[in-house]
Amino acid sequence: MSTGHGADSAPAPNRHDDDARTTSLPRTRRTSKGGTFSSLRIRNYRLFATGQVVSNTGTWMQRIAQDWLVLGLTGSSAAVGITTALQFLPMLLLGLYGGVIADRCPKRPLLLITQSAMAVTGLALGVLTLTGHVQVWHVYLIALVLGLVTVVDNPARQAFVVEMVGPADLRNAVSLNSANFQSARLVGPAVAGVLITAMGSGWAFLLNGLSFAAPIAALLLMRTGELHKVDRAPRAKGQLREGLNHVAGRPELIWPIVLVGFIGTFGFNFPIWLTAYVNDVFHAGAGTYGLLNTLMAGGSLAGALLAARRGTSRMRMLVGAAAAFGALEIAAALAPSFWVFAVLLVPIGMCGLTINVTANSGLQMAADPALRGRVMSLFMMVFMGGAPLGAPLIGWVTDAYGPRVGFLAGGVVSALAAVAIGFALVRSGGLRLKIDLRRGRPSVTFVPRQRTAAPRPDEVTVVA
């Protein structure tokens, strides 16, 4: 989070770490000393986190139940992809407008409205399913309505974090938000699997709707006097263009967003792949689907807790995690057995979470506070809004050529995007790749292109 002009720019290069100047996202000048859970010392954030863990558990129950319901109604992975696309299409089309609203309006009242609307969508789908009237178009419509609410809820919730904890604890709070979400992901799929098997999908939807009572109560119980004051953007013309120009002119903003866009569009289609694997490859049921989601959530939770301990968001961490994510997806697509596939989901979850937290916290630290809502809406727009483009395509590939080919395609695109953007960052930073092959201490580093001496015979130089 930017606390002034100095915090908005990357740290100055160190002669002992020449690559630091472009392989590190901007860092805050003040950092929390409280450890992994330092943000929980703050009462308002503690209330927020408690409400979110209840609500997130319900959200994961609904996600599992929704995917399984659509597959049961249609028998088509493409239909699951269409549901995902409809839920995220509003973010793609209207995401930046949601950021403008978040920058203009007080976040807490805005979140009370959006969380209440989300509760209504869960309750409506629960009633339709329990009464036996649900049809696939109902699921499509509710997914679209939920997506419209998310357009405003996501940037408002992301930008509200700094108002609760302040700049010093921002990165820790972002990481704990992700740990919170992934903790719920450990419980939600398992509970959903039991509920679907024993009682049907309708109870999962109904409980999700009721779970929103927790975050609504948390928002109402907050002490508004303890919130950090953030100036709101006044209503004015050209605010969308202002946000886009702010991002486009800064490499530490634009390149993470582009990378996350590719990963979100092609690499995060797990509802499609996992339902297809369970149904067509492993010939199992909802319990197995819940187990696979739980394993991935375990890796994601570990990644979130590790991220909470780190004090900075480095660009090379982001690119490296994205490359590893793609490589692991390729390995999972080629896995010869169920348990090899299942075990690989753990590091896939860890790398996916590292990508999200590193990009999210780095962007919030780098963005101008008055434009933070628009920057985060653009981030969420490309991360979540890419699904309407990628999900139907990946769903079609999965239906036509099988789950393994669909998963493989997502991994290949993710890995190639990481490599391409890594080289783009190196080039924009005026660096070159140096591979030192000396015995006993081989290394791969980035150094400035300007050379002061001729290269040794055991040194390879690659100029981006």
Side-chain angles (χ1 to χ4, degrees), residues 81-100:
I82 290 170
T83 308
T84 303
L86 287 171
Q87 188 164 331
F88 297 125
L89 181 64
M91 183 63 71
L92 177 65
L93 300 179
L94 304 171
L96 288 175
Y97 290 96
V100 171

Side-chain angles (χ1 to χ4, degrees), residues 291-308:
L291 171 64
L292 294 179
N293 276 277
T294 299
L295 287 170
M296 184 176 291
S300 299
L301 177 59
L305 294 175
L306 288 172

Side-chain angles (χ1 to χ4, degrees), residues 27-34 167-169 311-312 365:
R27 292 182 247 188
T28 51
R29 293 298 184 192
R30 296 185 295 130
T31 57
S32 173
K33 303 294 185 181
D169 283 299
T312 60
M365 291 173 186

Side-chain angles (χ1 to χ4, degrees), residues 83-436:
T83 308
T84 303
L86 287 171
Q87 188 164 331
F88 297 125
L89 181 64
M91 183 63 71
L92 177 65
L93 300 179
L94 304 171
L96 288 175
Y97 290 96
V100 171
I101 293 171
D103 281 337
R104 286 178 180 173
C105 300
K107 310 296 187 300
R108 180 171 159 274
L110 193 61
L111 287 172
L112 283 168
I113 295 170
T114 58
Q115 296 287 296
S116 299
M118 288 179 170
V120 171
T121 63
L123 293 172
L125 189 54
V127 170
L128 284 169
T129 306
L130 289 172
T131 57
H133 293 99
V134 70
Q135 298 179 37
V136 70
W137 72 266
H138 292 139
V139 185
Y140 288 165
L141 178 61
I142 289 174
L144 181 62
V145 171
L146 185 60
L148 289 169
V149 177
T150 303
V151 166
V152 178
D153 181 81
N154 258 321
R157 191 155 33 86
Q158 299 280 347
F160 188 53
V161 174
V162 73
E163 295 188 29
M164 290 184 285
V165 303
D169 283 299
L170 175 62
R171 193 182 195 288
N172 180 263
V174 169
S175 299
L176 290 184
N177 282 349
S178 296
N180 183 321
F181 189 68
Q182 300 307 328
S183 298
R185 190 178 177 186
L186 285 169
V187 178
V191 175
V194 172
L195 277 176
I196 294 168
T197 302
M199 305 174 67
S201 300
W203 287 101
F205 300 137
L206 189 63
L207 288 175
N208 175 52
L210 295 174
S211 73
F212 283 95
I216 291 170
L219 289 165
L220 291 172
L221 290 171
M222 285 184 182
R223 296 170 181 165
T224 56
E226 294 179 7
L227 295 174
H228 293 254
K229 179 176 173 55
V230 174
D231 293 333
R232 298 198 301 271
R235 182 181 296 273
K237 292 183 178 180
Q239 289 181 316
L240 283 180
R241 186 170 60 252
E242 182 185 15
L244 290 172
N245 289 340
H246 179 63
V247 170
R250 302 179 63 172
E252 70 272 23
L253 295 179
I254 186 63
W255 288 118
I257 288 175
V258 172
L259 178 56
V260 164
F262 275 101
I263 300 289
T265 301
F266 298 103
F268 268 79
N269 291 288
F270 297 109
I272 298 170
W273 293 324
L274 296 187
T275 52
Y277 262 85
V278 170
N279 197 52
D280 301 334
V281 178
F282 303 131
H283 307 292
T288 301
Y289 183 51
L291 171 64
L292 294 179
N293 276 277
T294 299
L295 287 170
M296 184 176 291
S300 299
L301 177 59
L305 294 175
L306 288 172
R309 294 182 63 85
R310 289 194 294 267
T312 60
S313 299
R314 291 187 175 275
M315 190 76 78
R316 59 189 174 193
M317 172 67 74
L318 176 63
V319 174
F325 178 82
L328 287 164
E329 286 197 337
I330 293 170
L334 303 175
S337 68
F338 170 80
W339 285 111
V340 173
F341 178 84
V343 168
L344 283 171
L345 292 178
V346 176
I348 287 174
M350 185 179 295
C351 290
L353 195 283
T354 301
I355 294 166
N356 194 316
V357 169
T358 305
N360 186 316
S361 56
L363 290 170
Q364 291 212 51
M365 291 173 186
D368 185 317
L371 297 166
R372 189 173 292 120
R374 276 161 281 182
V375 172
M376 297 314 297
S377 70
L378 182 60
F379 167 71
M380 298 306 297
M381 184 180 78
V382 299
F383 183 57
M384 299 173 61
L389 303 176
L393 176 61
I394 293 295
W396 175 80
V397 171
T398 300
D399 276 343
Y401 300 101
R404 292 188 185 277
V405 175
F407 208 175
L408 182 67
V412 168
V413 172
S414 299
L416 290 177
V419 171
I421 290 172
F423 274 102
L425 286 165
V426 170
R427 185 175 182 81
S428 67
L431 302 180
R432 61 181 176 81
L433 178 66
K434 183 181 79 172
I435 305 174
D436 192 341

